[in-house]
Amino acid sequence: MTAAMAPTTFAVPNPQRGERGDRAGALNLLIVDDERSVRDACREIATALGYHASAAESAEQALRLIESQNVDVVFLDLKLPGTGGLEAMRQIKARRPDIEVIVVTGHGTVESAVQAMKAGAYDYVTKPFSMAELKLLLSRVSVHLKLKMENRVLREKIKSKQGFGSIIGRAPEMDKLYRIIAKAAHSIHPVLILGESGTGKEMVARAIHHSGPVRDKPFIPVDCGSLVPTLIESELFGYVKGAFTGAVQAKEGLLAIAEGGTVFLDEVGELPVDLQAKLLRALQEKEIRPVGSTKYLPINVRILAATNRDLDRAVTDGSFRRDLYFRLNVLSLRILPLRERRQDVPLLATNFLERLSQSSGRVRELTDDAMKALLAYDWPGNVRELENCLERCCAMSSGAVINTVDLPSAITGASPRLAAVMPESRILPMVELERQTILNTIAQLDGDKLMAAKLLGIGKTTLYRKLKEYGVEL
């Protein structure tokens, strides 16, 4: 930086006197300048105004920082040693299009600022500039980012209500989830989605993919819990001709097919430890080796993963690699179970009934008593169980109104057979109630486990795991 600011430029406002920026919020500012005195002064002003500020002395250092920390705005001097400010701005926008760049230029070189504006800069300021100018710029960009985020969240809500996955809800916790999805959608980092079975983890993954810049690229889900280890490896990495018996021709792996897009690893906690090591290497090195091959192939794919397991405990007991956990858990979000956002049950139920009415051509509605029963139920199978429950009610009911008697006995109370053998005063643990419900459902369906899983609102992998825990032969 060649031009210097006047000494009075760095008068720092006193927050005690009401001069602190009122729109600062969570704005993260990165100051890029090769002069330490300028970096320190700008950081001091920004911090006093209520912003989070960090600094870099070169374009190279700035590019490393935006890859490792959250940055909303870059305050960038155009005259830098090494990689120039204009080229640095282009690289910043290429890597993180959501970052706003304010360029700083010396007096008499406004034409370079105009070039920067054409290349995507938010605004520019010429040196020397005053504290008031800096404060005004930060205030404007803060409001701009806030409005941009609100618009993005609104688009997410609209998409979800149009059936863009069953992400439906107005509970305060859902608003927070929408904001996290919007933030994650414009990031390139892996995301770990946590939640019980049936909460809609795949729908959240699809929302993240389809709301981001790679929405036109492939989204490929992989159910890690339903495939045997050898099949998962060949599915993810592919194989060459002759790699094993039956490999009559080469097959491209899903990590390669999804080039530029997203691979969603559902139930990633079920991956065997040896396969976890191979996945970790693929993510770190951005390359894969097909089964039976000696050559590595480059990949460019984003990983979204989900699990209903407690991965912290799995890491402790050694069933899940710690390094892979940290690699997948760069960004994380947790979906609340339906019992913790009961106010969304009527909204979800109405939405599901509308979909079923459109597909069948028959309009159905719930009575007040039936809705109260739905609200009182804990929904261990979460949103999936609610949807399957209403689908079953529509299939079994011949009328336009769904009454309490049309609901499954698990929702309205204990089944008649259980009530006959169990005193009313006897209280069973939830684990035992779950076991009896699963086994009774399978018995009533003459052993049809897939249909039982569908009616119970749980995945087949979850059902088989629980039957194994109960000691039932599969």
Side-chain angles (χ1 to χ4, degrees):
M1 180 179 287
T2 56
M5 300 180 192
T8 54
T9 298
F10 300 122
V12 178
N14 185 352
Q16 302 293 332
R17 296 163 55 188
E19 295 175 289
R20 187 182 179 92
D22 59 348
R23 292 190 178 95
L27 186 71
N28 297 284
L29 176 67
L30 174 60
I31 301 154
V32 187
D33 196 287
D34 59 328
E35 290 188 17
R36 181 175 180 178
S37 60
V38 176
R39 295 196 303 271
D40 292 346
C42 290
R43 181 160 53 185
E44 185 179 5
I45 293 171
T47 302
L49 291 173
Y51 302 98
H52 303 291
S54 56
E57 62 182 3
S58 66
E60 290 77 9
Q61 185 183 5
L63 291 170
R64 288 195 298 270
L65 284 174
I66 67 169
E67 294 290 343
S68 61
Q69 67 183 40
N70 187 25
V71 175
D72 299 305
V73 180
V74 174
F75 199 69
L76 177 67
D77 184 18
L78 285 181
K79 191 171 183 181
L80 293 171
T83 301
L86 193 59
E87 177 57 26
M89 194 206 72
R90 293 193 179 103
Q91 292 189 36
I92 290 171
K93 297 297 287 185
R95 299 185 189 188
R96 293 279 304 279
D98 55 316
I99 290 179
E100 299 295 352
V101 180
I102 298 174
V103 297
V104 182
T105 182
H107 180 70
T109 57
V110 178
E111 61 273 13
S112 59
V114 173
Q115 282 184 290
M117 294 290 287
K118 290 180 178 179
Y122 171 75
D123 207 343
Y124 75 94
V125 62
T126 58
K127 296 175 292 186
F129 54 87
S130 67
M131 183 272 292
E133 289 178 279
L134 178 57
K135 180 178 178 181
L136 179 62
L137 269 175
L138 293 177
S139 178
R140 284 177 50 212
V141 74
S142 180
V143 172
H144 169 74
L145 287 171
K146 181 181 178 182
L147 290 174
K148 188 164 71 170
M149 177 58 73
E150 289 175 349
N151 289 336
R152 190 183 302 163
V153 172
L154 180 60
R155 288 196 299 270
E156 293 302 320
K157 290 184 179 180
I158 292 172
K159 285 179 181 178
S160 67
K161 290 178 181 178
Q162 289 176 339
F164 182 73
S166 299
I167 312 174
I168 299 170
R170 295 173 182 166
E173 296 82 1
M174 294 303 292
D175 284 334
K176 181 179 178 181
L177 178 64
Y178 295 144
R179 288 195 295 272
I180 297 174
I181 290 174
K183 194 79 172 179
H186 287 76
S187 166
I188 60 173
H189 301 297
V191 179
L192 182 61
I193 305 168
L194 306 172
E196 297 178 4
S197 294
T199 50
K201 296 186 289 294
E202 182 172 341
M203 298 304 173
V204 168
R206 289 183 182 276
I208 291 173
H209 172 79
H210 289 289
S211 301
V214 297
R215 62 178 64 89
D216 296 328
K217 300 293 184 178
F219 175 89
I220 299 180
V222 182
D223 188 351
C224 301
S226 65
L227 296 173
V228 296
T230 52
L231 286 180
I232 297 177
E233 183 176 4
S234 60
E235 284 290 307
L236 288 177
F237 305 123
Y239 54 82
V240 297
K241 181 179 179 181
F244 49 83
T245 303
V248 295
Q249 60 183 10
K251 179 182 178 181
E252 198 172 14
L254 296 179
L255 290 173
I257 293 174
E259 175 67 21
T262 302
V263 169
F264 172 56
L265 302 176
D266 195 11
E267 300 305 337
V268 71
E270 305 299 325
L271 282 177
V273 176
D274 59 335
L275 193 54
Q276 293 174 26
K278 296 178 181 179
L279 176 61
L280 175 65
R281 189 192 184 283
L283 298 182
Q284 288 178 334
E285 304 301 328
K286 299 187 185 308
E287 62 181 18
I288 57 173
R289 183 168 64 87
V291 177
S293 176
T294 58
K295 297 181 180 180
Y296 285 90
L297 304 176
I299 59 171
N300 173 29
V301 65
R302 185 187 190 183
I303 296 294
L304 304 179
T307 183
N308 59 14
R309 292 184 61 190
D310 184 346
L311 286 189
D312 286 317
R313 181 179 297 178
V315 168
T316 301
D317 64 28
S319 61
F320 200 85
R321 291 181 62 105
R322 185 180 301 273
D323 43 10
L324 178 59
Y325 173 60
F326 290 142
R327 187 70 182 178
L328 295 174
N329 197 29
V330 177
L331 299 174
S332 67
L333 56 88
R334 183 178 297 276
I335 310 174
L336 287 180
L338 190 53
R339 63 182 175 275
E340 294 183 21
R341 55 181 186 103
R342 294 178 191 268
Q343 61 266 53
D344 285 337
V345 169
L347 182 64
L348 286 161
T350 302
N351 180 270
F352 292 145
L353 287 177
E354 287 177 354
R355 292 190 199 175
L356 292 167
S357 297
Q358 290 174 2
S359 61
S360 66
R362 300 179 62 184
V363 177
R364 288 184 174 88
E365 60 181 15
L366 290 157
T367 64
D368 291 342
D369 287 341
M371 184 63 76
K372 288 177 182 178
L374 297 183
L375 284 166
Y377 184 57
D378 275 343
W379 299 107
N382 293 294
V383 178
R384 185 191 295 131
E385 183 184 5
L386 174 60
E387 183 176 16
N388 290 340
C389 166
L390 294 173
E391 185 175 353
R392 176 182 176 182
C393 288
C394 290
M396 302 296 291
S397 174
S398 57
V401 177
I402 297 175
N403 296 285
T404 308
V405 294
D406 298 315
L407 299 175
S409 57
I411 295 174
T412 57
S415 69
R417 186 165 61 177
L418 283 177
V421 299
M422 189 172 62
E424 290 185 3
S425 60
R426 184 183 175 194
I427 298 176
L428 293 177
M430 288 296 294
V431 173
E432 178 60 21
L433 285 173
E434 179 186 71
R435 188 185 75 85
Q436 291 185 6
T437 301
I438 289 176
L439 295 180
N440 287 335
T441 302
I442 293 175
Q444 292 175 25
L445 294 172
D446 297 325
D448 190 336
K449 298 181 181 65
L450 293 180
M451 180 59 71
K454 180 177 177 61
L455 293 178
L456 290 168
I458 61 177
K460 61 181 182 298
T461 304
T462 302
L463 178 64
Y464 287 134
R465 185 173 69 247
K466 290 187 178 295
L467 290 176
K468 187 176 180 181
E469 293 172 1
Y470 303 153
V472 176
E473 294 185 5
L474 303 179

